[in-house]
Amino acid sequence: MSQPTAEERAALGEEPTELKRVMGPKLLLLFIVGDILGTGVYALTGDVAAEVGGAAWAPFIVAFLVALVTAFSYLELVTKYPRAAGAALYTHKAFGVHLLTFMVCFTVMCSGITSASTASRAFASNLAVGFGLDETNAGLIITVALIFMAVVAAVNLRGVGESVKANIFLTLVELSGLLLVIMIGFYAVFAGRTDFSRTIIFDDPGDKGAFFAVTAATSLAFFAMVGFEDSVNMAEETRDPVRNFPKMMITGISITGIIYVLVALFAVAIVPVGDLAASDTPLVTVVETAAPGIPAGDILPFISMFAVANSALINMLMASRLLYGMAKQNVLPGVLGRVGAQRRTPWVAILVTTAISFGLIYFVSRDPENDVVKALGGTTALLLLAVFAIVNVCVLVLRRDPIERKHFVAPTVLPVLGALACLFFVGPWTGRDVLQYQIAGWLLGIGLVLWILMWITNRLLGQRTAITDLEAINEPEGGVN
């Protein structure tokens, strides 16, 4: 079979790249599904139920719709500019403001750290349940969470080679846990251990009303839907991205949305909302309640640990590489761009992002009244919703930059709705915990202060403070692993 000509490749959106295009539609679908699955639904189902009662499925549906609308914007941009820099690239092309580009990039980095910190707490809780330890011992859970993050840092320092085959395996492990919950749910239906009347009851403990109860829960449930946006970084390694990305991204988001809604329905129908909300391992509680005689409850904590560990490692890899990339671009202190002589890993960036995660875990955990997973997961959703709002606006602005070749075009109403929806769920009127704004504010404040210090330093040295090569942010130079 003859290979496509250069003109044919250009028409397919296959612009020249140093990377090998190895991902067909099936591998791309698995990558997207695997990126979305993970910590969110394993750790936050109980917290979502605490906001709305038995109607825990409703926030997942709303989060799915917001993610789907935003995905259309990403699809237009990734097929129009099939490069690997993601939101930072789109923001810079749309507005050309270097500080805004930097803050978007830094926000994405911070979301990776808060997401990994959420995963560390979920890992600790599942480990305690899996090995029969005291999961109510706050000191034990914090210690395990910190040790886990230290192990992630050690793996990161050693260097991790990413491969599609590994992603497939991890995706199947994550998916198996959720399918196990769904299968146990059907078993509970036939065994008469479900009460679906609970799934239509709105129970608003804060007396906010059904609308604001759902919006508060959605602002948290959205954490379970993020990850699809990472797939745009695979644009240069995907065959025929103009045709494959739209089909596979929409299919992937739909698959995960259906799984999440089924899990939420069964969870509430099997376990009373109060017990579900009180559990740090809600899906384990569901399985143990539905099928006490089946050893599935002994297996799920370890599957959950595997799923959240994968999420943590991927997010800390992303965060440290972004920090390294920004340092190499001279918009953050150069020390953050140092690379180990033997392992060729950005060791300073890894240590700094790990230290920030340690600080987050300790800061949120020091108050026993705080729901740590809820605070960190909600902060991740808050940061990414802000980025998604900007991406939706970028679609409209970049309509002024037409290109000749064919690409996906989203109906104009969708990026408008996406921007408005994302901005709405960022606002305090959703009932979002003030602590989430504090965490996000401190993180972004650190980034802004560092940028200002670099601006002053570069000004004195007669240099520009600007990201000049967006591709280098996500694809570090120098053989970094």
Side-chain angles (χ1 to χ4, degrees), residues 219-344:
S219 65
L220 184 60
F222 195 79
F223 176 56
M225 289 304 305
V226 299
F228 66 89
E229 74 283 355
D230 289 337
S231 64
V232 301
N233 292 321
M234 303 301 293
E236 295 180 58
E237 295 168 82
T238 301
R239 295 194 296 267
D240 193 357
V242 173
R243 182 169 58 186
N244 287 332
F245 255 99
K247 293 178 181 178
M248 295 305 105
M249 185 179 286
I250 293 171
T251 302
I253 292 175
S254 299
I255 289 172
T256 52
I258 292 170
I259 291 173
Y260 287 168
V261 170
L262 286 174
V263 168
L265 280 169
F266 282 128
V268 175
I270 293 169
V271 181
V273 171
D275 295 340
L276 196 64
S279 176
D280 287 333
T281 55
L283 299 191
V284 177
T285 302
V286 171
V287 171
E288 291 177 339
T289 304
I294 299 177
D298 298 328
I299 300 172
L300 190 60
F302 297 99
I303 294 177
S304 302
M305 287 164 58
F306 207 116
V308 300
N310 180 43
S311 296
L313 180 57
I314 290 173
N315 278 286
M316 291 305 285
L317 279 167
M318 178 271 289
S320 61
R321 271 56 178 180
L322 280 176
L323 200 64
Y324 164 87
M326 287 185 283
K328 297 300 286 185
Q329 287 291 292
N330 207 33
V331 295
L332 286 179
V335 67
L336 296 171
R338 290 185 181 176
V339 174
Q342 293 184 336
R343 293 293 176 183
R344 303 298 298 162

Side-chain angles (χ1 to χ4, degrees), residues 150-218:
V151 172
V152 169
V155 174
N156 203 345
L157 285 167
R158 182 172 178 82
V160 178
E162 298 178 10
S163 72
V164 174
K165 291 182 179 179
N167 179 262
I168 293 173
F169 172 72
L170 296 173
T171 297
L172 293 177
V173 171
E174 293 170 346
L175 187 59
S176 68
L178 299 178
L179 293 179
L180 176 63
V181 174
I182 293 172
M183 290 172 61
I184 293 294
F186 281 113
Y187 166 81
V189 171
F190 292 111
R193 293 176 179 167
T194 56
D195 181 4
F196 281 96
S197 66
R198 289 198 293 256
T199 64
I200 59 173
I201 298 175
F202 279 92
D203 183 14
D204 174 20
D207 197 27
K208 298 186 287 288
F211 176 77
F212 284 104
V214 171
T215 57
T218 300

Side-chain angles (χ1 to χ4, degrees), residues 353-371:
T353 51
T354 303
I356 294 173
S357 71
F358 277 13
L360 281 174
I361 294 168
Y362 173 76
F363 172 75
V364 181
S365 301
R366 63 179 182 169
D367 184 350
E369 297 299 318
N370 286 335
D371 185 329

